[in-house]
Amino acid sequence: MSVKIHPIALLFLAQFLVVQVAEAGLIRNSGRGSPSSQVETHYYFVKNQDLVQFSDSSFGISVEAYAANSILGFEFTNTIGGGGRGISAVPTSGPTASNCNGAYNQDQVNTIQDDIDYWASSSDANAPAELANAQNALDFLINGSPCVWEFEQGEELLAFGAFSMFFDTALIEHQVLWEITGNGLNETLAGSINEGGDIMTPDGIISTGQVMLNTTAPANLLVGDYEITAVANLTSSAGQFFFERTNTGSGSSAEVVTLGFYEEYNPAWDVWRIAYEEWQNNVLYPWQDDPNRTGSEPVFTVPEPAQTISGYRSVNDQDEVRTAETYFRSEPEMLRIVAANNTSNPTSVNAPFSALLLLFGLVGVWLRKRQYS
C-alpha cells in the first residue's frame, strides 16, 4: 500500500516547484512613514509686464501687480509642503500612492531629530505626546523600505513620480530628465510631464502634472540594481519666478523667505531730467525769448519716469535677495533589472529545467528503492 502512495506523493510535491517569473513594474514594500514638517514654500510666476528691475539686476513684482495679486491671488502659483523637494521618482501622493513613499534624505532626519530634542527638553503639557510622535516619525522614516522599480532586461521602461511644480501654461517650459546610475552606468534619458488627463497603468494612475519616463531601455542596462533619479528644470522668457517660505516648526532650520518691499532711487529719472533741461535751454527758453515767436509753446514729448523704483522681491530676514529655485531633483530610488524569461541566464531560464531534473531524480530514487524492496 505504501509503495502505491509514493508516486501520488511525488506528484503532489511537484506542484510546489514554482519558478518565480520577473514582473515589470513598481514593487510597493511595507512602506515608510512620511514625517510631518511645517515648512512650506510657495512659488509664484509673474509675467514681464508686472515686473520691475532694480539697479543690482534683481527683479521685483511691481507695486500695482502685488496689490492686485494680494487681493485676487497670483495667477500662476504652486506650493511645496513638508520641506520636500517638489519632485519624486516614485508616486508619493494621490491615487498613485500605495504603501511606499520613496527614499528619504538626511535633511528629513535632521528636522525630526530637532523636534525630538526640542520636545525632550520642553515643559509644555503636550511635550510627551509630541515627543512620542516625533520618535515614531523618525523610526518610520529610517526603518521603512523604499519603492523599487523592477523591469526585465530589454523591457521598455515606464516610471513616473510626483511633481509639485507643474505650471499648466505655455508661458513656462518644463524639461524633464531621468538619470540611471550604478554598475558603471551613467545614463540620462529624456522624460516628460503628463499634460493631459489621467493615464492608467498597472502600477497606478499617472495624474496630470506628474513626471514620466516612457522609453526603450538602454542596451547597456544589464541585470542588477541601479539608482534612478527624476530631474526637472523650469525656464521662461515671459516672466520671473518668486517664492516665499514659511517655517513654523519647532526645530527646523529652514530659512524663512518673504516678499519684501524694496525701493531705490531711479537713475532713469536723472537721465530724463538732464534731457529735459537741455531741451529747455535749447528749445523752450529760446522760443519764449523770441519776440517774433509764432505758434503754440513747444512740448517735451519724453514721458517723465518715476523718481524711485519700488516693488516686492524674495528676501530673507536680513533683507538679502533670494532667487527662486527652478531646478528640482528627486532623491534616488532603486531600479532593479532582472533577467528576461527568454534569455539564457542560468538563474531564470534554467530554473524550470533544474526543477525537472530534481523531479526526475526523485522518481529515480523511488524506482531504485522499489527495485530493491
PDB file of all heavy atoms in Angstrom, residues 86-118:
ATOM      1  N   GLY A  86       9.798  68.638  -3.959  1.00  0.00           N
ATOM      2  CA  GLY A  86       8.872  69.008  -5.017  1.00  0.00           C
ATOM      3  C   GLY A  86       8.811  68.025  -6.159  1.00  0.00           C
ATOM      4  O   GLY A  86       7.999  68.176  -7.069  1.00  0.00           O
ATOM      5  N   ILE A  87       9.655  67.005  -6.141  1.00  0.00           N
ATOM      6  CA  ILE A  87       9.693  66.016  -7.216  1.00  0.00           C
ATOM      7  C   ILE A  87      10.107  64.679  -6.618  1.00  0.00           C
ATOM      8  O   ILE A  87      10.873  64.622  -5.656  1.00  0.00           O
ATOM      9  CB  ILE A  87      10.668  66.441  -8.335  1.00  0.00           C
ATOM     10  CG1 ILE A  87      10.545  65.508  -9.542  1.00  0.00           C
ATOM     11  CG2 ILE A  87      12.088  66.530  -7.836  1.00  0.00           C
ATOM     12  CD1 ILE A  87      11.338  65.981 -10.753  1.00  0.00           C
ATOM     13  N   SER A  88       9.575  63.609  -7.193  1.00  0.00           N
ATOM     14  CA  SER A  88       9.889  62.270  -6.711  1.00  0.00           C
ATOM     15  C   SER A  88      10.017  61.329  -7.887  1.00  0.00           C
ATOM     16  O   SER A  88       9.376  61.524  -8.923  1.00  0.00           O
ATOM     17  CB  SER A  88       8.791  61.781  -5.754  1.00  0.00           C
ATOM     18  OG  SER A  88       8.987  60.413  -5.426  1.00  0.00           O
ATOM     19  N   ALA A  89      10.834  60.303  -7.735  1.00  0.00           N
ATOM     20  CA  ALA A  89      10.989  59.286  -8.772  1.00  0.00           C
ATOM     21  C   ALA A  89       9.994  58.153  -8.623  1.00  0.00           C
ATOM     22  O   ALA A  89      10.025  57.194  -9.377  1.00  0.00           O
ATOM     23  CB  ALA A  89      12.415  58.730  -8.766  1.00  0.00           C
ATOM     24  N   VAL A  90       9.119  58.235  -7.644  1.00  0.00           N
ATOM     25  CA  VAL A  90       8.008  57.300  -7.487  1.00  0.00           C
ATOM     26  C   VAL A  90       6.790  58.091  -7.041  1.00  0.00           C
ATOM     27  O   VAL A  90       6.916  59.191  -6.502  1.00  0.00           O
ATOM     28  CB  VAL A  90       8.304  56.191  -6.443  1.00  0.00           C
ATOM     29  CG1 VAL A  90       9.371  55.248  -6.925  1.00  0.00           C
ATOM     30  CG2 VAL A  90       8.691  56.811  -5.101  1.00  0.00           C
ATOM     31  N   PRO A  91       5.573  57.579  -7.252  1.00  0.00           N
ATOM     32  CA  PRO A  91       4.391  58.308  -6.782  1.00  0.00           C
ATOM     33  C   PRO A  91       4.382  58.379  -5.262  1.00  0.00           C
ATOM     34  O   PRO A  91       4.647  57.394  -4.587  1.00  0.00           O
ATOM     35  CB  PRO A  91       3.223  57.458  -7.306  1.00  0.00           C
ATOM     36  CG  PRO A  91       3.809  56.118  -7.577  1.00  0.00           C
ATOM     37  CD  PRO A  91       5.230  56.348  -7.962  1.00  0.00           C
ATOM     38  N   THR A  92       4.117  59.567  -4.739  1.00  0.00           N
ATOM     39  CA  THR A  92       4.147  59.758  -3.287  1.00  0.00           C
ATOM     40  C   THR A  92       2.822  60.260  -2.722  1.00  0.00           C
ATOM     41  O   THR A  92       2.688  60.361  -1.512  1.00  0.00           O
ATOM     42  CB  THR A  92       5.239  60.764  -2.902  1.00  0.00           C
ATOM     43  OG1 THR A  92       4.970  62.009  -3.549  1.00  0.00           O
ATOM     44  CG2 THR A  92       6.610  60.265  -3.322  1.00  0.00           C
ATOM     45  N   SER A  93       1.882  60.607  -3.571  1.00  0.00           N
ATOM     46  CA  SER A  93       0.614  61.118  -3.061  1.00  0.00           C
ATOM     47  C   SER A  93      -0.470  60.880  -4.084  1.00  0.00           C
ATOM     48  O   SER A  93      -0.202  60.555  -5.237  1.00  0.00           O
ATOM     49  CB  SER A  93       0.719  62.617  -2.742  1.00  0.00           C
ATOM     50  OG  SER A  93       1.001  63.339  -3.925  1.00  0.00           O
ATOM     51  N   GLY A  94      -1.714  61.037  -3.640  1.00  0.00           N
ATOM     52  CA  GLY A  94      -2.837  60.896  -4.558  1.00  0.00           C
ATOM     53  C   GLY A  94      -3.118  59.446  -4.894  1.00  0.00           C
ATOM     54  O   GLY A  94      -2.662  58.518  -4.225  1.00  0.00           O
ATOM     55  N   PRO A  95      -3.887  59.204  -5.957  1.00  0.00           N
ATOM     56  CA  PRO A  95      -4.319  57.851  -6.276  1.00  0.00           C
ATOM     57  C   PRO A  95      -3.195  56.925  -6.702  1.00  0.00           C
ATOM     58  O   PRO A  95      -3.366  55.713  -6.710  1.00  0.00           O
ATOM     59  CB  PRO A  95      -5.316  58.066  -7.436  1.00  0.00           C
ATOM     60  CG  PRO A  95      -4.904  59.371  -8.050  1.00  0.00           C
ATOM     61  CD  PRO A  95      -4.427  60.204  -6.892  1.00  0.00           C
ATOM     62  N   THR A  96      -2.027  57.463  -7.060  1.00  0.00           N
ATOM     63  CA  THR A  96      -0.925  56.605  -7.478  1.00  0.00           C
ATOM     64  C   THR A  96      -0.148  56.050  -6.302  1.00  0.00           C
ATOM     65  O   THR A  96       0.648  55.127  -6.460  1.00  0.00           O
ATOM     66  CB  THR A  96       0.045  57.386  -8.377  1.00  0.00           C
ATOM     67  OG1 THR A  96       0.538  58.499  -7.643  1.00  0.00           O
ATOM     68  CG2 THR A  96      -0.651  57.873  -9.626  1.00  0.00           C
ATOM     69  N   ALA A  97      -0.325  56.617  -5.127  1.00  0.00           N
ATOM     70  CA  ALA A  97       0.468  56.191  -3.976  1.00  0.00           C
ATOM     71  C   ALA A  97      -0.122  54.933  -3.367  1.00  0.00           C
ATOM     72  O   ALA A  97      -1.327  54.762  -3.280  1.00  0.00           O
ATOM     73  CB  ALA A  97       0.507  57.305  -2.927  1.00  0.00           C
ATOM     74  N   SER A  98       0.749  54.049  -2.935  1.00  0.00           N
ATOM     75  CA  SER A  98       0.309  52.838  -2.252  1.00  0.00           C
ATOM     76  C   SER A  98       0.911  52.844  -0.864  1.00  0.00           C
ATOM     77  O   SER A  98       0.687  53.773  -0.107  1.00  0.00           O
ATOM     78  CB  SER A  98       0.732  51.603  -3.054  1.00  0.00           C
ATOM     79  OG  SER A  98       0.299  50.419  -2.433  1.00  0.00           O
ATOM     80  N   ASN A  99       1.712  51.846  -0.532  1.00  0.00           N
ATOM     81  CA  ASN A  99       2.282  51.770   0.796  1.00  0.00           C
ATOM     82  C   ASN A  99       3.753  52.148   0.826  1.00  0.00           C
ATOM     83  O   ASN A  99       4.484  51.721   1.697  1.00  0.00           O
ATOM     84  CB  ASN A  99       2.107  50.347   1.353  1.00  0.00           C
ATOM     85  CG  ASN A  99       0.651  50.040   1.614  1.00  0.00           C
ATOM     86  OD1 ASN A  99      -0.092  50.898   2.046  1.00  0.00           O
ATOM     87  ND2 ASN A  99       0.244  48.811   1.335  1.00  0.00           N
ATOM     88  N   CYS A 100       4.210  52.877  -0.150  1.00  0.00           N
ATOM     89  CA  CYS A 100       5.596  53.322  -0.132  1.00  0.00           C
ATOM     90  C   CYS A 100       5.656  54.775  -0.588  1.00  0.00           C
ATOM     91  O   CYS A 100       4.821  55.213  -1.365  1.00  0.00           O
ATOM     92  CB  CYS A 100       6.471  52.448  -1.029  1.00  0.00           C
ATOM     93  SG  CYS A 100       5.991  52.437  -2.761  1.00  0.00           S
ATOM     94  N   ASN A 101       6.633  55.492  -0.091  1.00  0.00           N
ATOM     95  CA  ASN A 101       6.710  56.909  -0.459  1.00  0.00           C
ATOM     96  C   ASN A 101       8.126  57.323  -0.812  1.00  0.00           C
ATOM     97  O   ASN A 101       8.488  58.481  -0.703  1.00  0.00           O
ATOM     98  CB  ASN A 101       6.165  57.795   0.666  1.00  0.00           C
ATOM     99  CG  ASN A 101       7.054  57.790   1.892  1.00  0.00           C
ATOM    100  OD1 ASN A 101       7.877  56.899   2.053  1.00  0.00           O
ATOM    101  ND2 ASN A 101       6.898  58.764   2.752  1.00  0.00           N
ATOM    102  N   GLY A 102       8.920  56.387  -1.247  1.00  0.00           N
ATOM    103  CA  GLY A 102      10.225  56.756  -1.769  1.00  0.00           C
ATOM    104  C   GLY A 102      11.301  56.907  -0.723  1.00  0.00           C
ATOM    105  O   GLY A 102      11.110  56.648   0.464  1.00  0.00           O
ATOM    106  N   ALA A 103      12.447  57.323  -1.183  1.00  0.00           N
ATOM    107  CA  ALA A 103      13.615  57.444  -0.313  1.00  0.00           C
ATOM    108  C   ALA A 103      13.502  58.670   0.583  1.00  0.00           C
ATOM    109  O   ALA A 103      12.701  59.562   0.344  1.00  0.00           O
ATOM    110  CB  ALA A 103      14.885  57.528  -1.163  1.00  0.00           C
ATOM    111  N   TYR A 104      14.328  58.689   1.611  1.00  0.00           N
ATOM    112  CA  TYR A 104      14.384  59.860   2.483  1.00  0.00           C
ATOM    113  C   TYR A 104      15.789  60.428   2.442  1.00  0.00           C
ATOM    114  O   TYR A 104      16.729  59.779   1.986  1.00  0.00           O
ATOM    115  CB  TYR A 104      13.983  59.497   3.912  1.00  0.00           C
ATOM    116  CG  TYR A 104      14.960  58.581   4.623  1.00  0.00           C
ATOM    117  CD1 TYR A 104      15.994  59.107   5.395  1.00  0.00           C
ATOM    118  CD2 TYR A 104      14.852  57.202   4.527  1.00  0.00           C
ATOM    119  CE1 TYR A 104      16.891  58.278   6.049  1.00  0.00           C
ATOM    120  CE2 TYR A 104      15.733  56.364   5.179  1.00  0.00           C
ATOM    121  CZ  TYR A 104      16.756  56.908   5.937  1.00  0.00           C
ATOM    122  OH  TYR A 104      17.637  56.087   6.582  1.00  0.00           O
ATOM    123  N   ASN A 105      15.941  61.667   2.900  1.00  0.00           N
ATOM    124  CA  ASN A 105      17.258  62.295   2.897  1.00  0.00           C
ATOM    125  C   ASN A 105      17.641  62.724   4.306  1.00  0.00           C
ATOM    126  O   ASN A 105      16.821  62.735   5.220  1.00  0.00           O
ATOM    127  CB  ASN A 105      17.294  63.482   1.931  1.00  0.00           C
ATOM    128  CG  ASN A 105      16.243  64.514   2.265  1.00  0.00           C
ATOM    129  OD1 ASN A 105      16.206  65.044   3.368  1.00  0.00           O
ATOM    130  ND2 ASN A 105      15.370  64.807   1.312  1.00  0.00           N
ATOM    131  N   GLN A 106      18.891  63.100   4.470  1.00  0.00           N
ATOM    132  CA  GLN A 106      19.399  63.450   5.792  1.00  0.00           C
ATOM    133  C   GLN A 106      18.738  64.699   6.341  1.00  0.00           C
ATOM    134  O   GLN A 106      18.591  64.843   7.568  1.00  0.00           O
ATOM    135  CB  GLN A 106      20.919  63.644   5.726  1.00  0.00           C
ATOM    136  CG  GLN A 106      21.585  63.787   7.091  1.00  0.00           C
ATOM    137  CD  GLN A 106      21.357  62.587   7.985  1.00  0.00           C
ATOM    138  OE1 GLN A 106      21.409  61.452   7.526  1.00  0.00           O
ATOM    139  NE2 GLN A 106      21.114  62.830   9.272  1.00  0.00           N
ATOM    140  N   ASP A 107      18.302  65.603   5.478  1.00  0.00           N
ATOM    141  CA  ASP A 107      17.612  66.801   5.954  1.00  0.00           C
ATOM    142  C   ASP A 107      16.340  66.435   6.700  1.00  0.00           C
ATOM    143  O   ASP A 107      16.003  67.054   7.719  1.00  0.00           O
ATOM    144  CB  ASP A 107      17.275  67.721   4.774  1.00  0.00           C
ATOM    145  CG  ASP A 107      18.522  68.374   4.183  1.00  0.00           C
ATOM    146  OD1 ASP A 107      19.547  68.411   4.893  1.00  0.00           O
ATOM    147  OD2 ASP A 107      18.457  68.835   3.037  1.00  0.00           O
ATOM    148  N   GLN A 108      15.624  65.422   6.197  1.00  0.00           N
ATOM    149  CA  GLN A 108      14.408  64.984   6.877  1.00  0.00           C
ATOM    150  C   GLN A 108      14.734  64.378   8.238  1.00  0.00           C
ATOM    151  O   GLN A 108      14.021  64.613   9.219  1.00  0.00           O
ATOM    152  CB  GLN A 108      13.666  63.969   6.012  1.00  0.00           C
ATOM    153  CG  GLN A 108      13.063  64.563   4.750  1.00  0.00           C
ATOM    154  CD  GLN A 108      12.507  63.493   3.830  1.00  0.00           C
ATOM    155  OE1 GLN A 108      13.240  62.707   3.259  1.00  0.00           O
ATOM    156  NE2 GLN A 108      11.201  63.450   3.713  1.00  0.00           N
ATOM    157  N   VAL A 109      15.817  63.611   8.290  1.00  0.00           N
ATOM    158  CA  VAL A 109      16.239  63.040   9.570  1.00  0.00           C
ATOM    159  C   VAL A 109      16.590  64.149  10.552  1.00  0.00           C
ATOM    160  O   VAL A 109      16.177  64.130  11.722  1.00  0.00           O
ATOM    161  CB  VAL A 109      17.443  62.103   9.369  1.00  0.00           C
ATOM    162  CG1 VAL A 109      17.973  61.610  10.712  1.00  0.00           C
ATOM    163  CG2 VAL A 109      17.059  60.921   8.496  1.00  0.00           C
ATOM    164  N   ASN A 110      17.346  65.146  10.087  1.00  0.00           N
ATOM    165  CA  ASN A 110      17.760  66.245  10.964  1.00  0.00           C
ATOM    166  C   ASN A 110      16.568  67.035  11.484  1.00  0.00           C
ATOM    167  O   ASN A 110      16.539  67.461  12.645  1.00  0.00           O
ATOM    168  CB  ASN A 110      18.717  67.176  10.217  1.00  0.00           C
ATOM    169  CG  ASN A 110      20.030  66.497   9.868  1.00  0.00           C
ATOM    170  OD1 ASN A 110      20.385  65.480  10.460  1.00  0.00           O
ATOM    171  ND2 ASN A 110      20.747  67.054   8.906  1.00  0.00           N
ATOM    172  N   THR A 111      15.581  67.246  10.607  1.00  0.00           N
ATOM    173  CA  THR A 111      14.396  68.002  11.018  1.00  0.00           C
ATOM    174  C   THR A 111      13.664  67.300  12.144  1.00  0.00           C
ATOM    175  O   THR A 111      13.273  67.921  13.153  1.00  0.00           O
ATOM    176  CB  THR A 111      13.454  68.189   9.815  1.00  0.00           C
ATOM    177  OG1 THR A 111      14.111  68.969   8.821  1.00  0.00           O
ATOM    178  CG2 THR A 111      12.177  68.907  10.244  1.00  0.00           C
ATOM    179  N   ILE A 112      13.461  65.990  12.005  1.00  0.00           N
ATOM    180  CA  ILE A 112      12.749  65.245  13.052  1.00  0.00           C
ATOM    181  C   ILE A 112      13.591  65.172  14.319  1.00  0.00           C
ATOM    182  O   ILE A 112      13.066  65.271  15.437  1.00  0.00           O
ATOM    183  CB  ILE A 112      12.387  63.837  12.558  1.00  0.00           C
ATOM    184  CG1 ILE A 112      11.502  63.929  11.316  1.00  0.00           C
ATOM    185  CG2 ILE A 112      11.657  63.055  13.645  1.00  0.00           C
ATOM    186  CD1 ILE A 112      11.139  62.589  10.723  1.00  0.00           C
ATOM    187  N   GLN A 113      14.905  65.015  14.166  1.00  0.00           N
ATOM    188  CA  GLN A 113      15.763  64.968  15.339  1.00  0.00           C
ATOM    189  C   GLN A 113      15.721  66.294  16.093  1.00  0.00           C
ATOM    190  O   GLN A 113      15.748  66.307  17.340  1.00  0.00           O
ATOM    191  CB  GLN A 113      17.191  64.642  14.933  1.00  0.00           C
ATOM    192  CG  GLN A 113      18.129  64.369  16.108  1.00  0.00           C
ATOM    193  CD  GLN A 113      17.663  63.194  16.948  1.00  0.00           C
ATOM    194  OE1 GLN A 113      17.498  62.096  16.441  1.00  0.00           O
ATOM    195  NE2 GLN A 113      17.448  63.423  18.242  1.00  0.00           N
ATOM    196  N   ASP A 114      15.636  67.395  15.372  1.00  0.00           N
ATOM    197  CA  ASP A 114      15.484  68.703  16.031  1.00  0.00           C
ATOM    198  C   ASP A 114      14.200  68.750  16.851  1.00  0.00           C
ATOM    199  O   ASP A 114      14.175  69.290  17.962  1.00  0.00           O
ATOM    200  CB  ASP A 114      15.478  69.816  14.984  1.00  0.00           C
ATOM    201  CG  ASP A 114      16.854  70.046  14.370  1.00  0.00           C
ATOM    202  OD1 ASP A 114      17.842  69.572  14.967  1.00  0.00           O
ATOM    203  OD2 ASP A 114      16.923  70.680  13.307  1.00  0.00           O
ATOM    204  N   ASP A 115      13.129  68.208  16.281  1.00  0.00           N
ATOM    205  CA  ASP A 115      11.857  68.170  17.009  1.00  0.00           C
ATOM    206  C   ASP A 115      11.973  67.314  18.272  1.00  0.00           C
ATOM    207  O   ASP A 115      11.439  67.661  19.333  1.00  0.00           O
ATOM    208  CB  ASP A 115      10.746  67.624  16.113  1.00  0.00           C
ATOM    209  CG  ASP A 115      10.379  68.599  14.999  1.00  0.00           C
ATOM    210  OD1 ASP A 115      10.689  69.790  15.142  1.00  0.00           O
ATOM    211  OD2 ASP A 115       9.777  68.166  13.995  1.00  0.00           O
ATOM    212  N   ILE A 116      12.662  66.178  18.152  1.00  0.00           N
ATOM    213  CA  ILE A 116      12.851  65.304  19.315  1.00  0.00           C
ATOM    214  C   ILE A 116      13.611  66.039  20.417  1.00  0.00           C
ATOM    215  O   ILE A 116      13.223  66.002  21.595  1.00  0.00           O
ATOM    216  CB  ILE A 116      13.585  64.018  18.903  1.00  0.00           C
ATOM    217  CG1 ILE A 116      12.683  63.158  18.014  1.00  0.00           C
ATOM    218  CG2 ILE A 116      14.035  63.228  20.125  1.00  0.00           C
ATOM    219  CD1 ILE A 116      13.357  61.924  17.467  1.00  0.00           C
ATOM    220  N   ASP A 117      14.699  66.715  20.044  1.00  0.00           N
ATOM    221  CA  ASP A 117      15.497  67.442  21.037  1.00  0.00           C
ATOM    222  C   ASP A 117      14.676  68.553  21.697  1.00  0.00           C
ATOM    223  O   ASP A 117      14.804  68.796  22.909  1.00  0.00           O
ATOM    224  CB  ASP A 117      16.736  68.038  20.361  1.00  0.00           C
ATOM    225  CG  ASP A 117      17.685  66.967  19.838  1.00  0.00           C
ATOM    226  OD1 ASP A 117      17.577  65.814  20.298  1.00  0.00           O
ATOM    227  OD2 ASP A 117      18.512  67.282  18.950  1.00  0.00           O
ATOM    228  N   TYR A 118      13.852  69.217  20.890  1.00  0.00           N
ATOM    229  CA  TYR A 118      13.053  70.316  21.446  1.00  0.00           C
ATOM    230  C   TYR A 118      12.034  69.795  22.463  1.00  0.00           C
ATOM    231  O   TYR A 118      11.941  70.303  23.595  1.00  0.00           O
ATOM    232  CB  TYR A 118      12.343  71.053  20.317  1.00  0.00           C
ATOM    233  CG  TYR A 118      11.383  72.114  20.813  1.00  0.00           C
ATOM    234  CD1 TYR A 118      11.832  73.381  21.163  1.00  0.00           C
ATOM    235  CD2 TYR A 118      10.020  71.838  20.934  1.00  0.00           C
ATOM    236  CE1 TYR A 118      10.958  74.353  21.626  1.00  0.00           C
ATOM    237  CE2 TYR A 118       9.126  72.807  21.387  1.00  0.00           C
ATOM    238  CZ  TYR A 118       9.600  74.060  21.735  1.00  0.00           C
ATOM    239  OH  TYR A 118       8.730  75.013  22.193  1.00  0.00           O
TER     240      TYR A 118
END
